[in-house]
């Protein structure tokens, strides 16, 4: 199965992608996570990506497209994958079409998490992540068993640098201008499965599993 999950920042893409890729036993490919990993190890890609991410801006299309193309060609993607956070512009959407053509792949479904803007800021300012493995937590919705410690790897739980209120608002405005047009792009391809954003994490997963594929 080849899936794509899209939605505004903080709509739960990463949370659902982690659950679904585990349930379906397919690769979880998050461009945001790939950039954060590169930043952590201090690579050239990481230094470049940090300049954009920390300001809430998108990393240029050609850089993002190249890392996705390389990743989708890897062995573990043969049995399926779930793309989280890519494409994010119409240019990236068209680039993905051409990557898929080369790979002789098709996307089975685009899951669109339709969360209203007013819910986003409070969700993201209360988000915490594991500084080691990247697992996602929330101060009210997904609390780690031990305060400040990751359930999965024991790493320290921190706040993402781009989760300040000012940066979140900028990310939302860029989402509305650059990414939202992809909703129509995938609607026209009859691939879109829209999930309302006012559901709990578990209800959202159930709705996707029973309604999207
Ligand atoms: P990325 O990491 O992809 O950030 P994002 O799209 O802004 O999405 P988030 O990770 O902020 O949110 P999410 O939708 O995954 O929500 P989550 O599950 O964490 O990208 C970061 C940056 O990298 C971008 O800003 C950009 O600079 C760059 N980048 C990445 N991809 C790029 C691309 N293709 N092109 C160019 N640049 C790119 O959930 C949020 C919180 O809510 C969590 O605390 C969670 O526990 C909680 N939560 C989840 N679901 C629910 C629910 N149903 N109810 C209540 N709380 C919930």
């Amino acid at each position: 199965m080849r899936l794509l999950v899209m939605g505004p920042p903080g709509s739960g893409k990463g949370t659902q992608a982690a659950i679904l890729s585990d349930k379906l036993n397919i690769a979880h490919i998050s461009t945001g996570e790939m950039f954060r990993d590169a930043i952590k190890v201090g690579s050239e890609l990481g230094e470049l990506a940090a300049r954009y991410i920390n300001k809430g801006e998108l990393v240029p299309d050609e850089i993002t497209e190249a890392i996705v193309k390389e990743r989708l060609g890897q062995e573990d993607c043969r049995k399926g994958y779930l793309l989280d956070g890519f494409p994010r512009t119409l240019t990236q959407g068209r680039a993905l079409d051409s990557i898929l053509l080369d790979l002789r792949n098709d996307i089975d479904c685009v899951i669109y998490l339709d969360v209203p803007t007013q819910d986003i800021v409070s969700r993201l300012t209360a988000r915490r992540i594991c500084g080691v493995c990247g697992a996602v937590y929330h101060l009210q919705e997904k609390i780690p068993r031990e305060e400040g410690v990751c359930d999965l790897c024991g790493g320290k739980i921190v706040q993402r640098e781009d989760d300040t209120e000012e940066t979140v608002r900028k990310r939302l405005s860029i989402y509305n201008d650059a990414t939202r047009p992809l909703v129509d792009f995938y609607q026209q391809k009859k691939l879109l499965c829209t999930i309302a954003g006012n559901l709990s994490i578990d209800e959202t997963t159930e709705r996707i599993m029973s309604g999207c594929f």
Side-chain angles (χ1 to χ4, degrees), residues 8-15 31-32 36 53 57-59 64 85-86 88 92 123 127 136-138 141 160 171 199-201:
S11 54
K13 300 182 295 295
T15 301
T31 40
R36 280 188 290 281
I53 292 179
E57 292 168 6
L58 295 181
V59 178
T64 314
F86 181 91
R88 242 185 175 80
Q92 290 181 13
R123 265 199 203 180
R127 171 167 62 185
V136 179
Y137 297 91
H138 186 276
E141 291 287 330
R160 255 170 62 171
R171 282 160 62 200
L199 305 168
S200 71
I201 294 175

PDB file of all heavy atoms in Angstrom, residues 8-15 31-32 36 53 57-59 64 85-86 88 92 123 127 136-138 141 160 171 199-201, ligand 1:
ATOM      1  N   PRO A   8      -2.624  20.595   7.597  1.00  0.00           N
ATOM      2  CA  PRO A   8      -1.834  21.717   8.111  1.00  0.00           C
ATOM      3  C   PRO A   8      -0.822  21.276   9.168  1.00  0.00           C
ATOM      4  O   PRO A   8      -0.931  20.158   9.699  1.00  0.00           O
ATOM      5  CB  PRO A   8      -2.895  22.653   8.714  1.00  0.00           C
ATOM      6  CG  PRO A   8      -4.133  21.868   8.808  1.00  0.00           C
ATOM      7  CD  PRO A   8      -4.046  20.734   7.853  1.00  0.00           C
ATOM      8  N   PRO A   9       0.150  22.137   9.501  1.00  0.00           N
ATOM      9  CA  PRO A   9       1.074  21.820  10.584  1.00  0.00           C
ATOM     10  C   PRO A   9       0.275  21.470  11.829  1.00  0.00           C
ATOM     11  O   PRO A   9      -0.723  22.140  12.129  1.00  0.00           O
ATOM     12  CB  PRO A   9       1.845  23.132  10.812  1.00  0.00           C
ATOM     13  CG  PRO A   9       1.516  24.024   9.685  1.00  0.00           C
ATOM     14  CD  PRO A   9       0.327  23.492   8.968  1.00  0.00           C
ATOM     15  N   GLY A  10       0.639  20.422  12.517  1.00  0.00           N
ATOM     16  CA  GLY A  10      -0.052  20.086  13.764  1.00  0.00           C
ATOM     17  C   GLY A  10      -1.365  19.360  13.587  1.00  0.00           C
ATOM     18  O   GLY A  10      -2.088  19.109  14.557  1.00  0.00           O
ATOM     19  N   SER A  11      -1.698  18.958  12.362  1.00  0.00           N
ATOM     20  CA  SER A  11      -2.979  18.275  12.156  1.00  0.00           C
ATOM     21  C   SER A  11      -2.917  16.820  12.605  1.00  0.00           C
ATOM     22  O   SER A  11      -3.939  16.136  12.634  1.00  0.00           O
ATOM     23  CB  SER A  11      -3.396  18.361  10.682  1.00  0.00           C
ATOM     24  OG  SER A  11      -2.363  17.880   9.863  1.00  0.00           O
ATOM     25  N   GLY A  12      -1.710  16.340  12.926  1.00  0.00           N
ATOM     26  CA  GLY A  12      -1.582  14.950  13.387  1.00  0.00           C
ATOM     27  C   GLY A  12      -1.006  14.022  12.337  1.00  0.00           C
ATOM     28  O   GLY A  12      -1.096  12.799  12.465  1.00  0.00           O
ATOM     29  N   LYS A  13      -0.374  14.594  11.304  1.00  0.00           N
ATOM     30  CA  LYS A  13       0.200  13.768  10.234  1.00  0.00           C
ATOM     31  C   LYS A  13       1.226  12.784  10.800  1.00  0.00           C
ATOM     32  O   LYS A  13       1.158  11.587  10.532  1.00  0.00           O
ATOM     33  CB  LYS A  13       0.910  14.645   9.184  1.00  0.00           C
ATOM     34  CG  LYS A  13       0.026  15.649   8.497  1.00  0.00           C
ATOM     35  CD  LYS A  13       0.781  16.440   7.437  1.00  0.00           C
ATOM     36  CE  LYS A  13       1.877  17.329   7.980  1.00  0.00           C
ATOM     37  NZ  LYS A  13       1.424  18.425   8.827  1.00  0.00           N
ATOM     38  N   GLY A  14       2.168  13.313  11.578  1.00  0.00           N
ATOM     39  CA  GLY A  14       3.229  12.462  12.129  1.00  0.00           C
ATOM     40  C   GLY A  14       2.664  11.404  13.061  1.00  0.00           C
ATOM     41  O   GLY A  14       3.082  10.240  13.026  1.00  0.00           O
ATOM     42  N   THR A  15       1.702  11.797  13.889  1.00  0.00           N
ATOM     43  CA  THR A  15       1.092  10.867  14.850  1.00  0.00           C
ATOM     44  C   THR A  15       0.399   9.731  14.105  1.00  0.00           C
ATOM     45  O   THR A  15       0.617   8.548  14.390  1.00  0.00           O
ATOM     46  CB  THR A  15       0.060  11.619  15.730  1.00  0.00           C
ATOM     47  OG1 THR A  15       0.742  12.669  16.416  1.00  0.00           O
ATOM     48  CG2 THR A  15      -0.628  10.693  16.720  1.00  0.00           C
ATOM     49  N   THR A  31       9.466  13.953   5.611  1.00  0.00           N
ATOM     50  CA  THR A  31      10.536  14.865   5.179  1.00  0.00           C
ATOM     51  C   THR A  31      10.977  15.748   6.354  1.00  0.00           C
ATOM     52  O   THR A  31      12.171  16.014   6.516  1.00  0.00           O
ATOM     53  CB  THR A  31      10.084  15.721   3.969  1.00  0.00           C
ATOM     54  OG1 THR A  31       8.726  16.125   4.157  1.00  0.00           O
ATOM     55  CG2 THR A  31      10.204  14.951   2.685  1.00  0.00           C
ATOM     56  N   GLY A  32      10.026  16.155   7.212  1.00  0.00           N
ATOM     57  CA  GLY A  32      10.395  16.960   8.384  1.00  0.00           C
ATOM     58  C   GLY A  32      11.377  16.200   9.274  1.00  0.00           C
ATOM     59  O   GLY A  32      12.379  16.742   9.736  1.00  0.00           O
ATOM     60  N   ARG A  36      15.184  16.996  10.317  1.00  0.00           N
ATOM     61  CA  ARG A  36      15.604  17.126  11.729  1.00  0.00           C
ATOM     62  C   ARG A  36      16.772  16.178  12.032  1.00  0.00           C
ATOM     63  O   ARG A  36      17.687  16.540  12.771  1.00  0.00           O
ATOM     64  CB  ARG A  36      14.415  16.870  12.675  1.00  0.00           C
ATOM     65  CG  ARG A  36      13.503  18.086  12.812  1.00  0.00           C
ATOM     66  CD  ARG A  36      12.442  17.903  13.889  1.00  0.00           C
ATOM     67  NE  ARG A  36      11.436  16.917  13.519  1.00  0.00           N
ATOM     68  CZ  ARG A  36      10.404  17.148  12.692  1.00  0.00           C
ATOM     69  NH1 ARG A  36      10.236  18.344  12.167  1.00  0.00           N
ATOM     70  NH2 ARG A  36       9.535  16.206  12.402  1.00  0.00           N
ATOM     71  N   ILE A  53      13.858  25.897   8.265  1.00  0.00           N
ATOM     72  CA  ILE A  53      12.928  25.308   9.238  1.00  0.00           C
ATOM     73  C   ILE A  53      12.785  26.185  10.478  1.00  0.00           C
ATOM     74  O   ILE A  53      11.681  26.416  10.952  1.00  0.00           O
ATOM     75  CB  ILE A  53      13.412  23.886   9.623  1.00  0.00           C
ATOM     76  CG1 ILE A  53      13.265  22.978   8.404  1.00  0.00           C
ATOM     77  CG2 ILE A  53      12.626  23.338  10.809  1.00  0.00           C
ATOM     78  CD1 ILE A  53      13.725  21.555   8.621  1.00  0.00           C
ATOM     79  N   GLU A  57       9.903  28.426   7.432  1.00  0.00           N
ATOM     80  CA  GLU A  57       9.761  28.460   5.966  1.00  0.00           C
ATOM     81  C   GLU A  57       9.985  27.079   5.368  1.00  0.00           C
ATOM     82  O   GLU A  57      10.568  26.207   6.012  1.00  0.00           O
ATOM     83  CB  GLU A  57      10.796  29.433   5.374  1.00  0.00           C
ATOM     84  CG  GLU A  57      10.480  30.867   5.749  1.00  0.00           C
ATOM     85  CD  GLU A  57      11.609  31.833   5.432  1.00  0.00           C
ATOM     86  OE1 GLU A  57      12.610  31.417   4.813  1.00  0.00           O
ATOM     87  OE2 GLU A  57      11.472  33.001   5.834  1.00  0.00           O
ATOM     88  N   LEU A  58       9.554  26.907   4.111  1.00  0.00           N
ATOM     89  CA  LEU A  58       9.751  25.622   3.443  1.00  0.00           C
ATOM     90  C   LEU A  58      11.173  25.503   2.911  1.00  0.00           C
ATOM     91  O   LEU A  58      11.741  26.481   2.410  1.00  0.00           O
ATOM     92  CB  LEU A  58       8.774  25.468   2.268  1.00  0.00           C
ATOM     93  CG  LEU A  58       7.289  25.392   2.615  1.00  0.00           C
ATOM     94  CD1 LEU A  58       6.469  25.207   1.331  1.00  0.00           C
ATOM     95  CD2 LEU A  58       7.000  24.259   3.583  1.00  0.00           C
ATOM     96  N   VAL A  59      11.733  24.314   3.004  1.00  0.00           N
ATOM     97  CA  VAL A  59      13.027  24.036   2.387  1.00  0.00           C
ATOM     98  C   VAL A  59      12.783  24.041   0.865  1.00  0.00           C
ATOM     99  O   VAL A  59      11.727  23.574   0.406  1.00  0.00           O
ATOM    100  CB  VAL A  59      13.550  22.652   2.870  1.00  0.00           C
ATOM    101  CG1 VAL A  59      14.875  22.301   2.223  1.00  0.00           C
ATOM    102  CG2 VAL A  59      13.670  22.643   4.404  1.00  0.00           C
ATOM    103  N   THR A  64      14.233  19.151  -1.432  1.00  0.00           N
ATOM    104  CA  THR A  64      13.282  18.206  -0.843  1.00  0.00           C
ATOM    105  C   THR A  64      12.959  17.085  -1.836  1.00  0.00           C
ATOM    106  O   THR A  64      12.921  15.907  -1.463  1.00  0.00           O
ATOM    107  CB  THR A  64      11.996  18.966  -0.430  1.00  0.00           C
ATOM    108  OG1 THR A  64      12.380  20.148   0.251  1.00  0.00           O
ATOM    109  CG2 THR A  64      11.122  18.128   0.457  1.00  0.00           C
ATOM    110  N   GLY A  85       4.132  14.705   4.956  1.00  0.00           N
ATOM    111  CA  GLY A  85       4.708  16.053   4.808  1.00  0.00           C
ATOM    112  C   GLY A  85       5.312  16.317   3.447  1.00  0.00           C
ATOM    113  O   GLY A  85       5.931  17.354   3.231  1.00  0.00           O
ATOM    114  N   PHE A  86       5.123  15.420   2.518  1.00  0.00           N
ATOM    115  CA  PHE A  86       5.557  15.611   1.133  1.00  0.00           C
ATOM    116  C   PHE A  86       4.492  15.002   0.232  1.00  0.00           C
ATOM    117  O   PHE A  86       4.069  13.881   0.509  1.00  0.00           O
ATOM    118  CB  PHE A  86       6.904  14.929   0.871  1.00  0.00           C
ATOM    119  CG  PHE A  86       7.405  15.133  -0.548  1.00  0.00           C
ATOM    120  CD1 PHE A  86       8.213  16.206  -0.858  1.00  0.00           C
ATOM    121  CD2 PHE A  86       7.018  14.263  -1.568  1.00  0.00           C
ATOM    122  CE1 PHE A  86       8.652  16.402  -2.164  1.00  0.00           C
ATOM    123  CE2 PHE A  86       7.441  14.463  -2.877  1.00  0.00           C
ATOM    124  CZ  PHE A  86       8.268  15.526  -3.158  1.00  0.00           C
ATOM    125  N   ARG A  88       4.413  19.297  -0.588  1.00  0.00           N
ATOM    126  CA  ARG A  88       3.929  20.451   0.163  1.00  0.00           C
ATOM    127  C   ARG A  88       3.726  21.661  -0.719  1.00  0.00           C
ATOM    128  O   ARG A  88       3.350  22.727  -0.212  1.00  0.00           O
ATOM    129  CB  ARG A  88       4.986  20.790   1.198  1.00  0.00           C
ATOM    130  CG  ARG A  88       4.547  20.677   2.625  1.00  0.00           C
ATOM    131  CD  ARG A  88       5.715  21.185   3.411  1.00  0.00           C
ATOM    132  NE  ARG A  88       5.526  21.301   4.798  1.00  0.00           N
ATOM    133  CZ  ARG A  88       5.580  20.319   5.676  1.00  0.00           C
ATOM    134  NH1 ARG A  88       5.702  19.097   5.302  1.00  0.00           N
ATOM    135  NH2 ARG A  88       5.481  20.575   6.939  1.00  0.00           N
ATOM    136  N   GLN A  92       6.126  20.294  -5.982  1.00  0.00           N
ATOM    137  CA  GLN A  92       6.507  18.992  -5.406  1.00  0.00           C
ATOM    138  C   GLN A  92       5.502  17.911  -5.815  1.00  0.00           C
ATOM    139  O   GLN A  92       5.866  16.755  -6.028  1.00  0.00           O
ATOM    140  CB  GLN A  92       6.577  19.078  -3.883  1.00  0.00           C
ATOM    141  CG  GLN A  92       7.756  19.902  -3.368  1.00  0.00           C
ATOM    142  CD  GLN A  92       7.821  19.951  -1.842  1.00  0.00           C
ATOM    143  OE1 GLN A  92       7.150  19.191  -1.142  1.00  0.00           O
ATOM    144  NE2 GLN A  92       8.621  20.864  -1.328  1.00  0.00           N
ATOM    145  N   ARG A 123      -2.511  23.084  19.789  1.00  0.00           N
ATOM    146  CA  ARG A 123      -1.924  21.742  19.668  1.00  0.00           C
ATOM    147  C   ARG A 123      -0.401  21.821  19.592  1.00  0.00           C
ATOM    148  O   ARG A 123       0.307  21.057  20.236  1.00  0.00           O
ATOM    149  CB  ARG A 123      -2.399  21.072  18.384  1.00  0.00           C
ATOM    150  CG  ARG A 123      -3.588  20.197  18.605  1.00  0.00           C
ATOM    151  CD  ARG A 123      -3.691  19.230  17.436  1.00  0.00           C
ATOM    152  NE  ARG A 123      -5.048  18.761  17.319  1.00  0.00           N
ATOM    153  CZ  ARG A 123      -5.461  17.910  16.404  1.00  0.00           C
ATOM    154  NH1 ARG A 123      -4.615  17.461  15.506  1.00  0.00           N
ATOM    155  NH2 ARG A 123      -6.704  17.521  16.360  1.00  0.00           N
ATOM    156  N   ARG A 127       2.878  20.634  22.050  1.00  0.00           N
ATOM    157  CA  ARG A 127       3.572  19.427  21.574  1.00  0.00           C
ATOM    158  C   ARG A 127       4.971  19.350  22.192  1.00  0.00           C
ATOM    159  O   ARG A 127       5.653  20.353  22.368  1.00  0.00           O
ATOM    160  CB  ARG A 127       3.712  19.455  20.048  1.00  0.00           C
ATOM    161  CG  ARG A 127       4.630  18.331  19.564  1.00  0.00           C
ATOM    162  CD  ARG A 127       4.557  18.111  18.092  1.00  0.00           C
ATOM    163  NE  ARG A 127       4.970  19.275  17.322  1.00  0.00           N
ATOM    164  CZ  ARG A 127       4.888  19.331  16.007  1.00  0.00           C
ATOM    165  NH1 ARG A 127       4.386  18.318  15.335  1.00  0.00           N
ATOM    166  NH2 ARG A 127       5.262  20.415  15.364  1.00  0.00           N
ATOM    167  N   VAL A 136       6.473  11.610  19.294  1.00  0.00           N
ATOM    168  CA  VAL A 136       5.688  12.834  19.512  1.00  0.00           C
ATOM    169  C   VAL A 136       4.795  12.702  20.744  1.00  0.00           C
ATOM    170  O   VAL A 136       4.107  11.688  20.912  1.00  0.00           O
ATOM    171  CB  VAL A 136       4.817  13.124  18.264  1.00  0.00           C
ATOM    172  CG1 VAL A 136       3.975  14.377  18.459  1.00  0.00           C
ATOM    173  CG2 VAL A 136       5.688  13.281  17.027  1.00  0.00           C
ATOM    174  N   TYR A 137       4.781  13.718  21.595  1.00  0.00           N
ATOM    175  CA  TYR A 137       3.923  13.751  22.793  1.00  0.00           C
ATOM    176  C   TYR A 137       3.123  15.053  22.804  1.00  0.00           C
ATOM    177  O   TYR A 137       3.340  15.930  21.967  1.00  0.00           O
ATOM    178  CB  TYR A 137       4.790  13.653  24.070  1.00  0.00           C
ATOM    179  CG  TYR A 137       5.529  12.338  24.144  1.00  0.00           C
ATOM    180  CD1 TYR A 137       6.803  12.205  23.610  1.00  0.00           C
ATOM    181  CD2 TYR A 137       4.918  11.225  24.695  1.00  0.00           C
ATOM    182  CE1 TYR A 137       7.464  10.985  23.641  1.00  0.00           C
ATOM    183  CE2 TYR A 137       5.576   9.993  24.737  1.00  0.00           C
ATOM    184  CZ  TYR A 137       6.841   9.893  24.207  1.00  0.00           C
ATOM    185  OH  TYR A 137       7.477   8.683  24.237  1.00  0.00           O
ATOM    186  N   HIS A 138       2.206  15.129  23.747  1.00  0.00           N
ATOM    187  CA  HIS A 138       1.382  16.337  23.888  1.00  0.00           C
ATOM    188  C   HIS A 138       1.116  16.520  25.372  1.00  0.00           C
ATOM    189  O   HIS A 138       0.885  15.531  26.086  1.00  0.00           O
ATOM    190  CB  HIS A 138       0.074  16.143  23.101  1.00  0.00           C
ATOM    191  CG  HIS A 138      -0.787  17.361  23.057  1.00  0.00           C
ATOM    192  ND1 HIS A 138      -1.651  17.684  24.067  1.00  0.00           N
ATOM    193  CD2 HIS A 138      -0.902  18.332  22.120  1.00  0.00           C
ATOM    194  CE1 HIS A 138      -2.281  18.808  23.753  1.00  0.00           C
ATOM    195  NE2 HIS A 138      -1.845  19.232  22.576  1.00  0.00           N
ATOM    196  N   GLU A 141      -2.830  15.518  25.572  1.00  0.00           N
ATOM    197  CA  GLU A 141      -3.396  14.392  24.805  1.00  0.00           C
ATOM    198  C   GLU A 141      -2.534  13.136  24.825  1.00  0.00           C
ATOM    199  O   GLU A 141      -3.036  12.036  24.679  1.00  0.00           O
ATOM    200  CB  GLU A 141      -3.593  14.805  23.337  1.00  0.00           C
ATOM    201  CG  GLU A 141      -4.663  15.833  23.098  1.00  0.00           C
ATOM    202  CD  GLU A 141      -6.052  15.251  23.261  1.00  0.00           C
ATOM    203  OE1 GLU A 141      -6.243  14.048  23.010  1.00  0.00           O
ATOM    204  OE2 GLU A 141      -6.946  16.020  23.660  1.00  0.00           O
ATOM    205  N   ARG A 160      10.049  21.457  20.124  1.00  0.00           N
ATOM    206  CA  ARG A 160      10.677  21.731  18.835  1.00  0.00           C
ATOM    207  C   ARG A 160      10.924  23.228  18.685  1.00  0.00           C
ATOM    208  O   ARG A 160      10.092  24.035  19.083  1.00  0.00           O
ATOM    209  CB  ARG A 160       9.748  21.251  17.703  1.00  0.00           C
ATOM    210  CG  ARG A 160      10.218  19.995  17.058  1.00  0.00           C
ATOM    211  CD  ARG A 160       9.203  19.422  16.130  1.00  0.00           C
ATOM    212  NE  ARG A 160       8.826  20.251  14.987  1.00  0.00           N
ATOM    213  CZ  ARG A 160       8.064  19.820  13.981  1.00  0.00           C
ATOM    214  NH1 ARG A 160       7.618  18.575  13.987  1.00  0.00           N
ATOM    215  NH2 ARG A 160       7.740  20.611  12.986  1.00  0.00           N
ATOM    216  N   ARG A 171       4.082  29.268   9.749  1.00  0.00           N
ATOM    217  CA  ARG A 171       3.949  27.979   9.052  1.00  0.00           C
ATOM    218  C   ARG A 171       2.526  27.812   8.523  1.00  0.00           C
ATOM    219  O   ARG A 171       2.313  27.288   7.432  1.00  0.00           O
ATOM    220  CB  ARG A 171       4.297  26.832  10.007  1.00  0.00           C
ATOM    221  CG  ARG A 171       5.802  26.669  10.194  1.00  0.00           C
ATOM    222  CD  ARG A 171       6.160  25.913  11.445  1.00  0.00           C
ATOM    223  NE  ARG A 171       5.669  24.556  11.487  1.00  0.00           N
ATOM    224  CZ  ARG A 171       5.541  23.849  12.613  1.00  0.00           C
ATOM    225  NH1 ARG A 171       5.863  24.372  13.778  1.00  0.00           N
ATOM    226  NH2 ARG A 171       5.080  22.627  12.573  1.00  0.00           N
ATOM    227  N   LEU A 199     -11.458  14.850  16.030  1.00  0.00           N
ATOM    228  CA  LEU A 199     -11.530  13.521  16.645  1.00  0.00           C
ATOM    229  C   LEU A 199     -10.285  13.279  17.491  1.00  0.00           C
ATOM    230  O   LEU A 199      -9.247  13.898  17.274  1.00  0.00           O
ATOM    231  CB  LEU A 199     -11.598  12.450  15.544  1.00  0.00           C
ATOM    232  CG  LEU A 199     -12.721  12.604  14.518  1.00  0.00           C
ATOM    233  CD1 LEU A 199     -12.480  11.670  13.340  1.00  0.00           C
ATOM    234  CD2 LEU A 199     -14.061  12.300  15.168  1.00  0.00           C
ATOM    235  N   SER A 200     -10.406  12.326  18.424  1.00  0.00           N
ATOM    236  CA  SER A 200      -9.226  11.973  19.219  1.00  0.00           C
ATOM    237  C   SER A 200      -8.233  11.231  18.317  1.00  0.00           C
ATOM    238  O   SER A 200      -8.572  10.850  17.180  1.00  0.00           O
ATOM    239  CB  SER A 200      -9.636  11.069  20.379  1.00  0.00           C
ATOM    240  OG  SER A 200      -9.986   9.800  19.852  1.00  0.00           O
ATOM    241  N   ILE A 201      -7.032  10.980  18.841  1.00  0.00           N
ATOM    242  CA  ILE A 201      -6.014  10.270  18.051  1.00  0.00           C
ATOM    243  C   ILE A 201      -6.538   8.887  17.632  1.00  0.00           C
ATOM    244  O   ILE A 201      -6.477   8.512  16.451  1.00  0.00           O
ATOM    245  CB  ILE A 201      -4.708  10.148  18.870  1.00  0.00           C
ATOM    246  CG1 ILE A 201      -4.103  11.547  19.087  1.00  0.00           C
ATOM    247  CG2 ILE A 201      -3.704   9.210  18.183  1.00  0.00           C
ATOM    248  CD1 ILE A 201      -2.875  11.604  19.988  1.00  0.00           C
TER     249      ILE A 201
HETATM  250  P1  LIG B   1       7.109  18.701   9.574  1.00  0.00           P
HETATM  251  O1  LIG B   1       7.792  18.015  10.676  1.00  0.00           O
HETATM  252  O2  LIG B   1       6.485  17.898   8.503  1.00  0.00           O
HETATM  253  O3  LIG B   1       6.119  19.758  10.206  1.00  0.00           O
HETATM  254  P2  LIG B   1       4.584  20.136   9.898  1.00  0.00           P
HETATM  255  O4  LIG B   1       4.011  19.805   8.583  1.00  0.00           O
HETATM  256  O5  LIG B   1       4.533  21.563  10.246  1.00  0.00           O
HETATM  257  O6  LIG B   1       3.825  19.196  10.736  1.00  0.00           O
HETATM  258  P3  LIG B   1       4.062  18.961  12.209  1.00  0.00           P
HETATM  259  O7  LIG B   1       5.174  17.957  12.399  1.00  0.00           O
HETATM  260  O8  LIG B   1       4.224  20.278  12.899  1.00  0.00           O
HETATM  261  O9  LIG B   1       2.675  18.394  12.675  1.00  0.00           O
HETATM  262  P4  LIG B   1       1.942  17.030  12.375  1.00  0.00           P
HETATM  263  O10 LIG B   1       0.826  17.267  11.419  1.00  0.00           O
HETATM  264  O11 LIG B   1       2.923  15.944  12.041  1.00  0.00           O
HETATM  265  O12 LIG B   1       1.299  16.801  13.785  1.00  0.00           O
HETATM  266  P5  LIG B   1       1.734  15.842  14.988  1.00  0.00           P
HETATM  267  O13 LIG B   1       1.363  14.430  14.683  1.00  0.00           O
HETATM  268  O14 LIG B   1       3.131  16.114  15.416  1.00  0.00           O
HETATM  269  O15 LIG B   1       8.123  19.693   8.874  1.00  0.00           O
HETATM  270  C1  LIG B   1       8.910  20.613   9.615  1.00  0.00           C
HETATM  271  C2  LIG B   1       9.555  21.597   8.681  1.00  0.00           C
HETATM  272  O16 LIG B   1      10.401  20.899   7.740  1.00  0.00           O
HETATM  273  C3  LIG B   1       8.591  22.399   7.799  1.00  0.00           C
HETATM  274  O17 LIG B   1       8.077  23.538   8.453  1.00  0.00           O
HETATM  275  C4  LIG B   1       9.525  22.770   6.639  1.00  0.00           C
HETATM  276  O18 LIG B   1      10.376  23.831   6.983  1.00  0.00           O
HETATM  277  C5  LIG B   1      10.363  21.517   6.465  1.00  0.00           C
HETATM  278  N1  LIG B   1       9.748  20.584   5.505  1.00  0.00           N
HETATM  279  C6  LIG B   1       9.213  19.363   5.773  1.00  0.00           C
HETATM  280  N2  LIG B   1       8.718  18.811   4.660  1.00  0.00           N
HETATM  281  C7  LIG B   1       8.937  19.696   3.669  1.00  0.00           C
HETATM  282  C8  LIG B   1       8.612  19.723   2.281  1.00  0.00           C
HETATM  283  N3  LIG B   1       7.955  18.707   1.681  1.00  0.00           N
HETATM  284  N4  LIG B   1       8.977  20.808   1.555  1.00  0.00           N
HETATM  285  C9  LIG B   1       9.645  21.842   2.114  1.00  0.00           C
HETATM  286  N5  LIG B   1       9.960  21.900   3.425  1.00  0.00           N
HETATM  287  C10 LIG B   1       9.608  20.833   4.193  1.00  0.00           C
HETATM  288  O19 LIG B   1       0.684  16.373  16.083  1.00  0.00           O
HETATM  289  C11 LIG B   1       0.803  17.682  16.633  1.00  0.00           C
HETATM  290  C12 LIG B   1       0.462  17.629  18.138  1.00  0.00           C
HETATM  291  O20 LIG B   1      -0.928  17.344  18.292  1.00  0.00           O
HETATM  292  C13 LIG B   1       1.213  16.510  18.884  1.00  0.00           C
HETATM  293  O21 LIG B   1       1.558  16.973  20.166  1.00  0.00           O
HETATM  294  C14 LIG B   1       0.193  15.341  18.955  1.00  0.00           C
HETATM  295  O22 LIG B   1       0.398  14.534  20.102  1.00  0.00           O
HETATM  296  C15 LIG B   1      -1.136  16.102  19.021  1.00  0.00           C
HETATM  297  N6  LIG B   1      -2.219  15.409  18.317  1.00  0.00           N
HETATM  298  C16 LIG B   1      -2.129  14.635  17.204  1.00  0.00           C
HETATM  299  N7  LIG B   1      -3.348  14.181  16.842  1.00  0.00           N
HETATM  300  C17 LIG B   1      -4.229  14.714  17.738  1.00  0.00           C
HETATM  301  C18 LIG B   1      -5.653  14.618  17.897  1.00  0.00           C
HETATM  302  N8  LIG B   1      -6.417  13.886  17.047  1.00  0.00           N
HETATM  303  N9  LIG B   1      -6.219  15.293  18.923  1.00  0.00           N
HETATM  304  C19 LIG B   1      -5.458  16.033  19.782  1.00  0.00           C
HETATM  305  N10 LIG B   1      -4.097  16.150  19.702  1.00  0.00           N
HETATM  306  C20 LIG B   1      -3.505  15.501  18.678  1.00  0.00           C
END
